[in-house]
């Protein structure tokens, strides 16, 4: 019976991917320290490195082991490569406000030399970090002892040239640039331009353009702050540069609209080039219609032809050439529509789910509650719900699809809406740029799943 | 009617969120507060437009039952100066605990008796009409310019009328005196000063904190009408 269900929900057979548990990182116990709550997950451009940021301002980078020739049935594991404190809590004395150290976003730069670079941001400050390896050190100085103490010059009787000797690998992270004091409101997004020289940072009301080398100034390219704050009706929720066109970017709003802007049109891109908006379905109107239409994430496809948006209940795929409606809409957890009032009460309705594309733009993924996450295959139109839980932690065991019973008689193996744990939410997911490897963050654990090879 | 109940409940919840947002680490979240204010506005519109609004607010069971303390309101009512008619009370209520203090403390003659206990506003039962100070406190948080005066209180003895207006202006002054930094600064609940010391500063913060207690505001229509459902946070920014 269970096997049949698995087949019907599309987890097995044909070209469908069979997802298996690979690894889980993080504390085992249920008592979650707030600082350990994962707030962002991002693969680098090659997929070899996987970075996470947490509420405590820490960045942890995992590196994939080189593929083992003898272990052809699985790809390399991800192990801790570097850990560093990116941001510390700060205090704004002028406003009497504490600035949280929580890492809101991490974005990798493409690799140009031996070192790796990433941008990490909290609510107010963006930092460029250089992560470099050191696996040798010079030894044999004339004037210094091995421990660094200087020798008495009068005792030096011979001359030698220091040589590099191997040492245990050390990975060092150092902040190379600090981009501060440019945002009055809370930064929600950073995005690196395809020119690899500039990047944008977006807060609730403004978007700034930076040059990676220049920290003392930035250009404001979008400003939606009204002259009278009482007239404020929407805020910026996410922004991203187009993957190929270095003058194009999009930003999403709390009203469910996406604006595409071209920086060549004018210095201040307050006037959009395109406005993507789907008319609201009047039959679904409720007190909470505005909240659930607020877009929490926007991501371009790798091809640059499409973009995906996530609002509270759905994922939408937009063709950049069509502004009046999305080309595809996928319901993530429609069964929550009747529970919006409770979700408003317990603040869950404000959860900001992210979404991501697979490398070939054929599948999109997003998170849900009860540690469930969802994938939608754009070609086959099939979808699947999986769970990130330690109970499934036998490597190479195919994950069992989950199903939520919205109403009526609950079938075996289904979960009823009322038994969902709304404290277990998956907000952040990431897909390896080339392989079928995914990273899924629960509250304080990071799960890595791979497709079953052979 | 059901819509009205739900709308009232949503209004209460929303105001509670706005209130508790003040104490959040990292400062007010503009996005969330904007969304809450939109919900608040929708709910308020529904509440006001629905026919058959009951004269008394729905029981607190629809909102926050735990806020109801039986003994206090009686004690409070007993300490009030000689019996204001219910409308009068509502009018005076509009100014928050401070006017009550006005009446008791600031007022020269007034009720020399014990002013209402510090926690009284929080413990007022659903039967009491109009949360203290909502029209005044709400505007303080929502508008950058001085808010319009609350709707004129229903007729009351001239002396009291004048006292209330004085109370109005005085509390407005104190509110803007403490300014938005007072609004933005995190004041843990435990440090709420008793409204009794008569200090202006206390008035500046205490009414705001008392005002946003869930389940207490917008209990009646006149109050609701004057509510500008605009978010605290937005203006504070």
């Amino acid at each position: 019976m269970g096997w049949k269900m698995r087949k019907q929900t599309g987890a097995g057979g044909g070209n469908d991917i069979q997802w298996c548990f690979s690894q889980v990182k993080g504390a085992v116990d249920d008592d979650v320290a707030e600082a350990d709550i994962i707030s962002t997950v991002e693969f680098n451009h090659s997929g070899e490195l996987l970075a996470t940021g947490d509420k405590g301002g820490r960045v942890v980078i995992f590196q994939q082991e080189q593929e083992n020739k003898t272990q052809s049935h699985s790809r390399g594991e991800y192990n801790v490569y570097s850990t560093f404190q990116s941001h510390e809590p700060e205090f704004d004395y002028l406003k009497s406000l504490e600035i949280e150290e929580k890492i809101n976003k991490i974005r990798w730069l493409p690799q140009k030399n031996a070192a790796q670079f990433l941008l990490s941001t909290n609510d107010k400050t963006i930092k460029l970090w250089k992560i470099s390896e050191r696996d040798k050190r010079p030894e044999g100085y004339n004037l210094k002892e091995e421990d660094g103490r200087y020798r008495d010059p009068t005792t030096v009787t011979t001359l030698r040239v220091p040589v590099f000797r191997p040492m245990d690998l050390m990975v060092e992270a150092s902040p190379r640039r600090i981009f501060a004091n440019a945002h009055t409101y809370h930064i929600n997004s950073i995005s690196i331009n395809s020119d690899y020289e500039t990047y944008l940072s977006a807060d609730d009301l403004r978007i700034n353009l930076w040059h990676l080398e220049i920290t003392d100034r930035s250009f404001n390219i979008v400003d939606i702050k009204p002259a009278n704050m009482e007239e404020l009706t929407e805020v910026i929720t996410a922004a991203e540069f187009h993957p190929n066109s270095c003058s194009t970017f999009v930003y999403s709003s709390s009203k469910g609209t996406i604006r595409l802007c071209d920086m060549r049109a004018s210095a201040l891109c307050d006037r959009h080039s395109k406005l993507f908006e789907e008319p609201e379905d009047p039959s679904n109107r409720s007190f909470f219609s505005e909240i659930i239409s607020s877009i929490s994430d926007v991501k371009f496809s790798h091809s640059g032809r499409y973009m995906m948006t996530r609002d509270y209940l759905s994922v939408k795929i937009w063709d950049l050439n069509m502004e009046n409606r999305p080309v595809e809409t996928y319901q993530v957890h429609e069964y929550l529509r009747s529970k919006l009032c409770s979700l408003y009460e317990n603040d869950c309705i404000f959860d900001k789910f992210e979404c991501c594309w697979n490398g070939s733009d054929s599948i999109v993924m997003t998170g849900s509650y009860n540690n469930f996450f969802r994938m939608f295959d754009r070609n086959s139109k099939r979808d699947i719900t999986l769970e990130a839980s330690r109970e499934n932690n036998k490597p190479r065991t195919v994950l069992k699809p989950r199903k939520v019973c919205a109403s009526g008689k609950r079938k075996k193996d289904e979960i009823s809406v009322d038994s969902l744990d709304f404290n277990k939410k998956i907000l952040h997911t990431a897909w390896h740029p080339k392989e079928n490897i995914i990273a899924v963050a629960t509250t304080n654990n990071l799960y890595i799943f791979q497709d079953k090879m052979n | 009617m059901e819509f009205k109940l739900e709308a009232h409940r949503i209004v209460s919840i929303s105001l509670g969120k706005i209130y508790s947002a003040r104490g959040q680490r990292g400062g007010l979240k503009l996005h969330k507060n904007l969304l809450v204010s939109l919900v608040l506005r929708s709910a308020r519109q529904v509440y006001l437009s629905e026919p058959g609004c009951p004269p008394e607010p729905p029981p607190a069971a629809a909102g926050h039952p735990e806020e109801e303390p039986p003994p206090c309101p009686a004690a409070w009512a007993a300490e009030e100066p000689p019996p204001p008619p219910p409308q009068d009370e509502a009018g005076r209520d509009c100014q928050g605990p401070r006017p009550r203090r006005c009446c008791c403390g600031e007022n020269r003659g007034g009720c020399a008796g014990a002013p209402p206990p510090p926690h009284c506003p929080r413990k007022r039962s659903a039967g009491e009409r109009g949360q203290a100070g909502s029209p005044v406190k709400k505007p303080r948080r929502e508008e950058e310019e001085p808010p319009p005066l609350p709707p004129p209180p229903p007729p009351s003895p001239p002396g009291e009328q004048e006292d209330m207006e004085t109370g109005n202006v005085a509390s407005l002054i104190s509110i803007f005196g403490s300014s938005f930094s007072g609004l933005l600064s995190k004041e843990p609940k435990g440090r709420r000063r008793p409204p009794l010391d008569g200090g202006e500063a206390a008035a500046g913060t205490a009414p705001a904190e008392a005002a946003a207690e869930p389940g207490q505001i917008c209990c009646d229509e006149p109050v609701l009408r004057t509510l500008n459902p605009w978010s605290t946070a937005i203006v504070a920014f």
Side-chain angles (χ1 to χ4, degrees):
Chain A
M1 180 64 161
W3 175 250
K4 273 196 190 149
M5 280 176 64
R6 191 183 302 155
K7 277 204 181 276
Q8 281 164 10
T9 50
N15 294 324
D16 286 346
I17 303 169
Q18 291 184 293
W19 290 102
C20 305
F21 171 85
S22 174
Q23 297 169 268
V24 60
K25 308 282 187 194
V28 183
D29 57 17
D30 284 336
D31 207 11
V32 180
E34 188 160 338
D36 292 337
I37 295 176
I38 298 173
S39 50
T40 186
V41 181
E42 188 82 356
F43 278 101
N44 76 337
H45 291 252
S46 66
E48 185 204 355
L49 298 176
L50 175 60
T52 62
D54 65 24
K55 247 187 144 183
R58 229 175 27 148
V59 170
V60 181
I61 301 176
F62 302 91
Q63 183 187 42
Q64 190 181 29
E65 276 173 14
Q66 292 308 307
E67 270 184 47
N68 196 330
K69 299 287 183 272
T70 62
Q71 279 191 316
S72 60
H73 53 260
S74 74
R75 298 181 187 83
E77 281 198 342
Y78 282 85
N79 299 316
V80 176
Y81 178 65
S82 172
T83 304
F84 57 93
Q85 188 72 28
S86 171
H87 287 71
E88 298 273 4
E90 286 174 53
F91 198 77
D92 180 339
Y93 294 97
L94 198 62
K95 294 187 187 169
S96 277
L97 284 181
E98 195 175 2
I99 299 169
E100 275 190 284
E101 66 277 29
K102 172 168 77 94
I103 308 295
N104 293 336
K105 283 288 179 337
I106 289 174
R107 290 286 182 263
W108 289 93
L109 265 71
Q111 191 171 11
K112 285 195 286 194
N113 51 37
Q116 301 278 356
F117 288 86
L118 60 77
L119 284 177
S120 70
T121 186
N122 69 348
D123 283 340
K124 298 285 185 185
T125 304
I126 306 131
K127 295 187 184 180
L128 176 69
W129 287 89
K130 175 181 178 183
I131 297 108
S132 48
E133 293 184 1
R134 191 195 293 264
D135 61 356
K136 44 187 176 295
R137 65 159 177 244
E139 288 179 15
Y141 282 102
N142 287 291
L143 298 176
K144 273 198 294 188
E145 304 285 2
E146 292 306 331
D147 60 9
R149 278 180 306 136
Y150 278 95
R151 292 168 69 185
D152 179 357
T154 58
T155 63
V156 178
T157 54
T158 59
L159 194 66
R160 57 182 175 166
V161 177
V163 294
F164 276 106
R165 297 220 184 277
M167 59 180 261
D168 288 339
L169 178 67
M170 213 167 65
V171 181
E172 300 168 322
S174 60
R176 303 307 276 180
R177 306 270 186 278
I178 298 187
F179 306 91
N181 302 321
H183 285 280
T184 308
Y185 305 96
H186 295 140
I187 297 175
N188 52 54
S189 313
I190 46 175
S191 177
I192 299 172
N193 202 347
S194 49
D195 65 8
Y196 300 143
E197 284 186 351
T198 57
Y199 74 95
L200 63 76
S201 58
D203 66 30
D204 293 314
L205 298 178
R206 299 191 177 104
I207 302 180
N208 293 332
L209 180 72
W210 302 84
H211 191 284
L212 285 164
E213 299 290 329
I214 299 170
T215 58
D216 62 355
R217 77 198 76 168
S218 67
F219 289 100
N220 175 242
I221 53 177
V222 173
D223 188 341
I224 65 169
K225 181 177 179 187
N228 184 357
M229 277 296 263
E230 281 192 43
E231 291 160 9
L232 183 72
T233 54
E234 65 183 325
V235 297
I236 297 168
T237 53
E240 197 179 47
F241 265 118
H242 190 276
N244 306 322
S245 167
C246 58
S247 53
T248 307
F249 66 94
V250 294
Y251 67 93
S252 60
S253 85
S254 54
K255 273 192 171 171
T257 63
I258 309 101
R259 287 173 175 79
L260 184 142
C261 300
D262 190 322
M263 295 194 293
R264 294 167 297 190
S266 71
L268 192 60
C269 300
D270 277 357
R271 294 186 58 202
H272 53 262
S273 301
K274 296 197 184 196
L275 175 67
F276 298 84
E277 187 174 16
E278 183 177 29
E280 193 194 341
D281 178 0
S283 64
N284 275 334
R285 186 112 189 91
S286 77
F287 285 122
F288 310 104
S289 301
E290 275 150 334
I291 299 189
I292 63 170
S293 66
S294 176
I295 292 173
S296 51
D297 194 16
V298 64
K299 291 265 174 42
F300 277 105
S301 63
H302 293 90
S303 64
R305 171 143 181 229
Y306 299 97
M307 65 179 174
M308 164 167 56
T309 57
R310 175 69 155 99
D311 50 65
Y312 189 63
L313 296 180
S314 67
V315 160
K316 295 178 181 174
I317 313 276
W318 303 78
D319 185 322
L320 291 191
N321 298 315
M322 188 161 74
E323 297 170 59
N324 60 349
R325 61 175 177 82
V327 289
E328 295 155 38
T329 301
Y330 302 104
Q331 300 302 331
V332 181
H333 35 219
E334 181 70 10
Y335 46 79
L336 296 183
R337 193 180 287 276
S338 55
K339 312 272 179 200
L340 293 179
C341 195
S342 315
L343 294 165
Y344 178 69
E345 231 178 320
N346 65 16
D347 272 359
C348 283
I349 208 173
F350 300 106
D351 287 334
K352 296 191 183 168
F353 291 95
E354 292 173 8
C355 52
C356 62
W357 299 84
N358 73 340
S360 59
D361 297 336
S362 60
I363 308 179
V364 297
M365 170 168 66
T366 189
S368 178
Y369 294 104
N370 210 69
N371 282 348
F372 288 170
F373 57 101
R374 303 263 282 139
M375 291 186 194
F376 303 94
D377 188 321
R378 299 177 62 212
N379 300 324
S380 69
K381 299 302 181 204
R382 283 210 285 254
D383 62 271
I384 189 170
T385 305
L386 298 172
E387 182 180 0
S389 110
R390 285 180 183 268
E391 286 164 15
N392 307 330
N393 63 356
K394 285 178 64 180
R396 297 194 295 285
T397 314
V398 176
L399 292 181
K400 182 177 147 177
R402 311 306 251 169
K403 194 145 165 55
V404 177
C405 167
S407 61
K409 202 158 155 52
R410 184 177 73 89
K411 297 197 193 81
K412 184 172 176 281
D413 286 346
E414 284 186 354
I415 293 193
S416 76
V417 181
D418 299 313
S419 356
L420 294 174
D421 187 341
F422 289 94
N423 290 320
K424 292 185 177 171
K425 49 193 90 172
I426 291 179
L427 303 175
H428 311 287
T429 59
W431 204 306
H432 190 289
K434 302 185 175 69
E435 312 272 356
N436 282 330
I437 303 175
I438 55 177
V440 172
T442 59
T443 306
N444 65 334
N445 285 168
L446 183 72
Y447 286 79
I448 299 174
F449 301 102
Q450 299 181 4
D451 68 349
K452 190 182 174 97
M453 294 172 80
N454 32 281
Chain B
M1 184 49 139
E2 281 172 24
F3 293 126
K4 214 168 181 76
L5 275 177
E6 202 202 350
H8 175 271
R9 180 157 169 260
I10 289 172
V11 165
S12 301
I13 294 169
S14 304
L15 288 166
K17 286 187 194 301
I18 292 177
Y19 167 68
S20 59
R22 287 186 53 199
Q24 257 177 356
R25 197 169 167 247
L28 286 157
K29 309 258 183 276
L30 186 63
H31 183 198
K32 181 177 174 186
N33 279 274
L34 173 65
L35 295 176
V36 170
S37 73
L38 294 174
V39 170
L40 182 58
R41 191 194 327 209
S42 306
R44 170 181 169 266
Q45 279 170 354
V46 166
Y47 188 80
L48 293 177
S49 63
E50 282 274 315
C53 170
E56 291 279 287
H64 297 255
E66 66 276 4
E67 303 274 332
E68 283 208 76
C72 188
W76 173 72
E79 282 155 357
E80 277 295 289
Q87 302 97 327
D88 208 9
E89 200 174 289
R92 198 184 314 143
D93 288 347
C94 290
Q95 299 160 32
R98 204 178 181 285
R100 268 177 259 129
R101 254 177 296 130
C102 273
C103 157
C104 301
E106 181 174 311
N107 182 358
R108 320 57 188 184
C111 36
H119 296 304
C120 198
R122 225 170 13 135
K123 295 183 186 169
R124 192 168 354 140
S125 78
E128 301 295 333
R129 233 174 334 130
Q131 164 53 357
S134 9
V136 168
K137 297 164 204 164
K138 239 358 181 125
R140 160 207 159 165
R141 275 180 270 143
E142 293 157 2
E143 303 169 39
E144 284 172 358
E145 61 279 341
L149 281 180
S156 59
E160 273 181 275
Q161 179 86 23
E162 195 177 318
D163 288 341
M164 281 189 286
E165 279 175 7
T166 309
N168 254 344
V169 173
S171 57
L172 276 176
I173 290 170
S174 69
I175 282 165
F176 282 99
S178 65
S179 92
F180 297 108
S181 59
L183 167 66
L184 287 178
S185 69
K186 297 185 301 177
E187 250 194 65
K189 276 183 181 177
R191 280 205 271 125
R192 178 198 311 217
R193 305 196 201 94
L196 243 223
D197 58 14
E200 301 280 286
T205 50
E209 288 180 292
E213 288 294 347
Q216 303 222 336
I217 317 188
C218 326
C219 289
D220 69 344
E221 236 174 287
V223 169
L224 263 183
R225 282 213 190 89
T226 60
L227 263 187
N228 179 346
W230 198 241
S231 164
T232 305
I234 291 164
V235 175
F237 271 117

